[in-house]
Amino acid sequence: MSQTPSPVLRLRAGVLGDAETMLQIKQQLRMQPDPGGAESSRGGFLLGSSRAQYEALLAGAQVDVLLDGPRVVGFVTALPDPPLRQSALWQRRAHIAWGGGLGAGELAALEGLRLGYLDQLAVLPDPKYRLCAPALAWRALARLLEDGCDLVFATVVARPVRNLVTRPLLAAVGAVELGAIDEDYPEVGPITSDVFCMTRAALQGGDGRQRARLAALQRWTERLLAGRG
């Protein structure tokens, strides 16, 4: 008797009909520390974002989703330069506590560049989906660079619970920690997030080990895009 083949994992661009599923995934990833009293989370979590906000991202920003067969099991959202400058995050940029004492002239020069923002990365809490998280993030970063971004920013929650999921990936692509920002979310209260920056030059440079990691990420992403995950 023949067996039905297992569905393959693959990536595709997000569409407006994905908003409800994205919201359901987000609701399963709540901020809570790992067992044992640690003030960190290896499972990851998402804050903010309503269905309307996901629909706005799908309509005007950059979204890729991870599929298991026909089912959406993860997603990544990112903001190219125009939607970033229209976002609430951009309006709060004056509240970033920049490390290294960046002056007004340096910040003005930075704002004059073409910028991007890695927004949300989420997969359902299953090991086979978590293995795809780096490829999702790499896909978003690569698309921002293809869009012409000079710098790409990301924020990762540091307190009250330290989100550990994306930090290894940020280190792998040469991200630099530039500062921190305090925010307030109705569902959890005050939080502090670390602010990271990635540059095109850092991705094109690096030592042999970093280039090998990036090449492996690219190959894995291409497999998922081709439906061979």
Side-chain angles (χ1 to χ4, degrees), residues 45-63:
F45 51 85
L46 292 181
L47 300 175
S49 296
S50 63
R51 175 170 177 161
Q53 288 170 316
Y54 282 131
E55 288 175 342
L57 288 168
L58 287 160
Q62 177 183 302
V63 181

Side-chain angles (χ1 to χ4, degrees), residues 80-110:
D81 192 272
L84 172 59
R85 294 177 191 266
Q86 297 169 10
S87 70
L89 175 69
W90 185 259
Q91 304 308 316
R92 296 195 302 272
R93 67 192 186 282
H95 300 290
I96 297 174
W98 296 101
L102 287 175
E106 293 167 303
L107 290 174
L110 184 150

